[in-house]
Amino acid sequence: MEHGYSILMGIFAGALLAYAGLMALTKDYKMLPLRARVSVKPKNEKLYMKQLAKVVALAALSPALSALVGLLNVIAGLIVLPLSGGILIWLGTKLMRGVE
């Protein structure tokens, strides 16, 4: 298991991308966990789910980048994960800003 970290992060990124794709295709607001549905009441649920799917897909890039870097060096992959995660989630908040 020389590349165990990269395999795990790749699977996690793939699962997040699959969830984002499913959200984008169905645009079903009930796919969100109950806690999220209670705290957020969007006016246009389909637009909200479309934008949220983009944000989840963007957030999935962080473990994917970490997996790619982890193939070369695991320590560097561990450093890339929180750095890219913070930047990509910040960009995601910018995407969600106009959605109500």
Side-chain angles (χ1 to χ4, degrees):
M1 284 307 269
E2 184 178 329
H3 300 293
Y5 174 78
S6 294
I7 292 169
L8 182 66
M9 286 294 113
I11 291 170
F12 183 60
L16 279 175
L17 282 173
Y19 181 58
L22 200 56
M23 282 195 311
L25 286 175
T26 63
K27 296 181 181 88
D28 185 12
Y29 186 67
K30 293 183 180 177
M31 287 187 69
L32 293 177
L34 184 61
R35 282 187 186 173
R37 284 189 308 223
V38 169
S39 63
V40 176
K41 300 284 187 196
K43 293 177 185 172
N44 186 349
E45 292 178 358
K46 293 196 184 286
L47 177 64
Y48 182 81
M49 289 303 289
K50 180 181 167 187
Q51 287 297 104
L52 186 62
K54 290 178 188 177
V55 172
V56 171
L58 189 65
L61 288 178
S62 179
L65 286 173
S66 179
L68 290 175
V69 172
L71 287 172
L72 302 173
N73 186 347
V74 176
I75 301 300
L78 289 170
I79 293 170
V80 166
L81 184 65
L83 291 178
S84 63
I87 292 169
L88 292 171
I89 290 174
W90 176 76
L91 287 173
T93 61
K94 299 293 183 191
L95 280 175
M96 290 299 289
R97 191 152 286 173
V99 180
E100 293 180 5

